[in-house]
Amino acid sequence: MSEILDLVGIFVFALSGALMGVRKRLDVVGMAVIAEMTALGGGVVRDLILNVRPTAFQSSGYVLVPVVATAIVFFWHPHVAKVMPAILVLDAAGLGLFCAVGTEKALDYGLNPLHAALLGVTTAVGGGMLRDVLAGEIPTLLYDRQLYAVPAMLGSAVMAALYTVDLHGWHATLAAAVLAFGLRIAAMRYNWRAPLARGVKPVE
């Protein structure tokens, strides 16, 4: 079940990467590269920090799912763009899932709760940062002020807290993931933003 949820999150993140490739007028190879980096980058960085073989290289599905997402966007990108609201909801679900799973894996490998939570956030947002860098953009995480990293931080912190009181397994993972998902959805629904420095006006 966890692998299926993992693949769903990978698929959604890959769609956003491939759509970025379309906006940047990249060819199909460039689209596939960005889709793979968006979908797998955060998890690969996590596993390299943990000094274990990346999960993405243990199952062909992890590599093939972004290829399928790229093909869908390549042929039907106008239709995919029309359903972006639904994709953003799935993206929020992927964010919640990845931050919780990433934190739990880091804890399983012996990291302390603080470092494990940071690695959970990296798992959730790392692929999107790689996507933006490869596309020549300032990472969205750094400038759009939407609450994206904050839900991941909260979900990771809750996962770490539950783990330290010996509450782990799929129940704890689901609770942390749902919390991060709910905060991200609320941020999109109510247009919540992180504050700018005092006296700095937002760009219109």
Side-chain angles (χ1 to χ4, degrees):
M1 182 63 178
S2 61
E3 184 174 350
I4 293 174
L5 292 174
D6 223 11
L7 292 174
V8 170
I10 285 170
F11 178 75
V12 173
F13 285 170
L15 285 178
S16 73
L19 284 170
M20 173 69 82
V22 172
R23 289 197 293 272
K24 290 293 182 177
R25 303 179 65 85
L26 301 182
D27 62 21
V28 66
V29 175
M31 289 172 59
V33 169
I34 288 188
E36 294 279 356
M37 290 295 101
T38 306
L40 305 177
V44 169
V45 170
R46 175 202 63 211
D47 291 343
L48 291 176
I49 291 174
L50 293 175
N51 198 30
V52 298
R53 186 171 65 172
T55 304
F57 298 107
Q58 298 182 40
S59 171
S60 58
Y62 284 81
V63 177
L64 293 178
V65 165
V67 173
V68 172
T70 300
I72 291 172
V73 173
F74 181 80
F75 289 106
W76 297 291
H77 60 88
H79 304 288
V80 174
K82 288 180 182 178
V83 296
M84 272 307 294
I87 291 174
L88 288 174
V89 172
L90 293 175
D91 179 83
L95 179 80
L97 177 67
F98 281 14
C99 74
V101 170
T103 302
E104 184 174 31
K105 184 169 184 177
L107 289 163
D108 286 340
Y109 276 85
L111 267 67
N112 66 45
L114 175 60
H115 292 150
L118 290 174
L119 203 50
V121 174
T122 300
T123 306
V125 306
M129 292 193 70
L130 288 173
R131 174 200 64 210
D132 293 340
V133 169
L134 286 172
E137 299 279 341
I138 298 173
T140 304
L141 181 69
L142 302 180
Y143 77 90
D144 74 345
R145 299 189 299 121
Q146 286 191 4
L147 298 187
Y148 196 80
V150 172
M153 290 175 186
L154 181 61
S156 296
V158 168
M159 183 71 245
L162 292 174
Y163 195 99
T164 57
V165 295
D166 205 28
L167 291 173
H168 45 88
W170 72 268
H171 294 91
T173 304
L174 181 62
V178 168
L179 182 62
F181 168 76
L183 180 56
R184 173 60 180 156
I185 292 296
M188 292 191 295
R189 172 66 177 82
Y190 298 108
N191 203 32
W192 291 343
R193 296 285 189 263
L196 294 171
R198 184 177 181 182
V200 175
K201 295 182 179 180
V203 178
E204 298 297 333

